[in-house]
Amino acid sequence: MIGVLRPLFFRAAPLMRAPQPLSATQEALCANPYSHGNCHLIELRNVVKVYDTPAGKFHALKGINLCVDTHEFVAIIGKSGSGKSTLINMITGIDRPTSGEIYVGDTAVHRLSEGEMAVWRGKHVGVIFQFFQLLPTLTLVENVMLPMDFCNTYPRRERYERAMQLLEHVGMADHAHKLPSAVSGGQQQRVAIARALANDPPIIVADEPTGNLDSKTANAIFDLFTRLVVEEGKTIVMVTHDQDLARRVTRAVTVADGEIKDEVRRV
Ligand code: ADP
Ligand code: MG
């Protein structure tokens, strides 16, 4: 199955594009780095991101310092264009800083090579997007199996069963053999969450995960996130436009013009 799925996965999800068999370094990166008693699980130190545009250099992040502790549920809020996606793309390694440092557990994310990054991300960070980004030609359960196939986590014979359990967890097991187009947006997002959990990452990073959902469905997705923090000890960083949801997390961080303007702790 991997042979069939991998090319699809790489083509449709270039962020997870990965190289060849794992090197010793990559294998080492796959070891759990969260057992060393760090005070911060995620730490951004003076992170600057400058884009080159036809109009000149654009400073999307102007020296971000941010720490997120284990088991926090942090909302990143701010106007469109303020730098929210750029910021969280630093945490996932989807984008690289122009300068500054990013640490997740014991990993210096800004120093990873592309190949190391893909493997590291696949195991340690579950990423969820606004438009779900499920592979349209694969069934829902196959979509959830992909990260396990990609990172070669869990014995092959256990992956299907684990994917089914994750779908059960998000209330989607009954639809497991359907294609994404056969279920609603809210249901697709549930599957995307199951996929993000496939390798049991300690961190979930979500970019406007409820941005394309009606408020009732958004609430249900938010409740699912809350359960992941409270019952399973996950750490979540979520970009949201929804002020109501942003009031229900442990900390809300406001970004404006590439800078952190405000932080509100709720617990
Ligand atoms: P947000 O997620 O808060 O809406 P983004 O982080 O996507 O904002 O973008 C912040 C700013 O950086 C925006 O002005 C955007 O146009 C700019 N930007 C983002 N990506 C690029 C890029 N690849 N090249 C040039 N400018 C970019
Ligand atoms: Mg954005």
Side-chain angles (χ1 to χ4, degrees), residues 79-86 88-89 130 207-208 239 241:
K79 292 187 180 144
S80 186
S82 56
K84 305 180 298 296
S85 295
T86 308
I88 61 162
N89 288 347
Q130 181 175 354
D207 196 348
E208 306 210 30
V239 172
H241 262 112

Side-chain angles (χ1 to χ4, degrees), residues 3 20 31 38 118 127 130 145 149 153 169 183 211 215 228:
Q20 312 315 312
N38 286 357
V127 188
Q130 181 175 354
M145 289 169 71
D149 292 335
T153 48
H169 196 50
V183 300
S215 61
L228 293 175

